[in-house]
Amino acid sequence: MYNEENVIQRFFDTVRPILDDIGLPYEIVCVNDGSRDATLLALTGIARKDPRVRVVDLTRNFGKEAALTAGLDLARGAAVIPIDADLQEPPELLPEMVAHWQDGFDVVLARRAERSSDTMFKRGSARMFYRLLRMMSDVEIPENVGDFRLMDREVVNALHRLPERTRFMKGIFAWLGFRQTTIDFVRPARQEGSGKFGFRKLFQLAMEGIISFSTVPLRMWSYVGFMVAAAALLFMLYILIDTLLFGRDTPGFATLATVLLFFNGLIMINLGIIGEYLARIFTEVKARPIYLVREQIQFETANAEDHKP
């Protein structure tokens, strides 16, 4: 949760009756990702009345992927379901997820059947991103599947063995494998507040996904280099033969400048891609923790009037 004070009460009023009806013991782990509003105060008030609610307060805003990692690290259940607080991931799917898990599936994916609640730009860019990632990556990342999924404890334990600091969780989830099934849903519009992912963050996440799960951007420059060298050799032969046979004036400055600028641009793009990979190597070598927890809040007892056993 990040600055979600306006939706917290509605989230709990929606989720807790559904979890109660499932009939299995549960806990709700709330990760406060450095909120600047009254999110932590509201969560503490709810946890005071319900011992099944555990609040994890991070020392600052580490970002969605780090906060998700914190929740998965600290959850103790036999199955774990990450879910955002904005209710765009319908809690009504939770009983069906649990039923599939009880039938023997290790992972139950929730896939958006359609994305009419998103803008046309977001739908188009997401479609293009998934197609590009499928072309470049060896890992099959399911389209229109977010972090909302059920994972068996064995899957979560396997996730703990992956040590990378720079994380693209959708790719990591897909890399794990295990026995999976999928259920479809229609994503509703956000009830309160506004989304926290603008174009810049979405672009960074897309870059993270491509670089984390593909080496094609690095390898492709070998092919580009061979093609450019072959084209340059053919052009050199053409100029040599044309000059020897027919004579030729020295090419103009504009032609030379255009060629130089074009190849310098290719070199800079190549260096930029190498720099992206080096930056991630630098991050991994430093081995800093993915997140830091300031405090965990959980009350052992609750008022009888506020919590049914």
Side-chain angles (χ1 to χ4, degrees):
M1 300 182 179
Y2 177 65
N3 294 343
E4 300 286 7
E5 62 175 327
N6 294 327
V7 302
I8 288 175
Q9 192 58 55
R10 179 180 295 182
F11 172 79
F12 281 98
D13 290 343
T14 303
V15 168
R16 282 189 294 194
I18 294 172
L19 292 174
D20 290 336
D21 288 342
I22 292 176
L24 297 175
Y26 67 87
E27 67 172 353
I28 302 176
V29 181
C30 304
V31 180
N32 178 42
D33 188 23
S35 297
R36 299 179 180 179
D37 60 2
T39 295
L40 180 60
L41 182 64
L43 289 174
T44 302
I46 292 172
R48 192 182 303 276
K49 298 177 181 179
D50 189 344
R52 298 170 299 182
V53 176
R54 182 153 54 105
V55 181
V56 179
D57 185 30
L58 303 186
T59 58
R60 64 171 177 85
N61 178 248
F62 286 90
K64 186 178 188 297
E65 307 296 89
L68 175 59
T69 301
L72 293 169
D73 286 346
L74 298 172
R76 299 170 295 193
V80 179
I81 306 175
I83 184 171
D84 291 337
D86 56 16
L87 296 178
Q88 287 190 284
E89 296 162 339
E92 292 77 15
L93 294 180
L94 296 176
E96 186 178 355
M97 285 180 159
V98 173
H100 283 300
W101 172 61
Q102 291 174 324
D103 287 339
F105 288 99
D106 301 310
V107 179
V108 183
L109 306 175
R111 179 174 58 200
R112 300 170 198 166
E114 55 93 9
R115 305 182 59 150
S116 59
S117 61
D118 293 335
T119 64
M120 185 177 297
F121 171 77
K122 192 170 182 180
R123 292 197 299 269
S125 59
R127 192 180 307 114
M128 193 161 53
F129 165 72
Y130 281 112
R131 287 178 181 173
L132 182 63
L133 196 57
R134 277 198 298 269
M135 291 169 52
M136 300 176 70
S137 174
D138 295 332
V139 178
E140 183 69 26
I141 299 178
E143 188 171 352
N144 291 327
V145 174
D147 301 321
F148 185 40
R149 64 188 67 208
L150 180 147
M151 291 175 285
D152 183 78
R153 169 52 54 183
E154 186 179 358
V155 179
V156 178
N157 289 341
L159 183 65
H160 294 165
R161 297 173 58 189
L162 304 182
E164 54 254 51
R165 270 73 182 168
T166 307
R167 313 205 120 202
F168 177 64
M169 295 303 292
K170 295 180 183 63
I172 291 175
F173 289 147
W175 184 89
L176 290 173
F178 289 92
R179 189 183 178 200
Q180 303 183 4
T181 189
T182 303
I183 56 178
D184 292 329
F185 73 96
V186 177
R187 190 181 193 187
R190 186 181 176 95
Q191 298 297 314
E192 298 282 351
S194 59
K196 309 302 188 297
F197 263 62
F199 173 78
R200 183 176 64 87
K201 288 188 176 180
L202 287 173
F203 180 77
Q204 289 175 344
L205 187 64
M207 286 289 293
E208 201 61 64
I210 292 172
I211 292 174
S212 295
F213 284 88
S214 175
T215 58
V216 170
L218 285 175
R219 295 202 312 267
M220 64 180 283
W221 286 101
S222 299
Y223 304 118
V224 171
F226 281 121
M227 288 188 293
V228 169
L233 179 61
L234 292 175
F235 186 67
M236 182 187 70
L237 292 175
Y238 165 75
I239 294 295
L240 180 62
I241 294 172
D242 189 58
T243 301
L244 291 175
L245 295 180
F246 307 106
R248 185 180 178 95
D249 294 334
T250 304
F253 173 78
T255 303
L256 182 62
T258 300
V259 171
L260 287 175
L261 289 173
F262 173 73
F263 286 108
N264 283 340
L266 287 180
I267 292 171
M268 295 305 294
I269 293 172
N270 187 15
L271 290 175
I273 291 177
I274 293 173
E276 290 288 342
Y277 282 91
L278 285 177
R280 280 150 184 80
I281 293 172
F282 179 61
T283 299
E284 296 298 324
V285 168
K286 287 187 293 187
R288 291 176 181 170
I290 301 170
Y291 60 86
L292 292 175
V293 176
R294 187 182 71 86
E295 182 182 14
Q296 290 195 54
I297 303 169
Q298 185 172 28
F299 296 90
E300 296 300 324
T301 60
N303 297 328
E305 59 189 24
D306 293 321
H307 166 57
K308 291 195 298 182

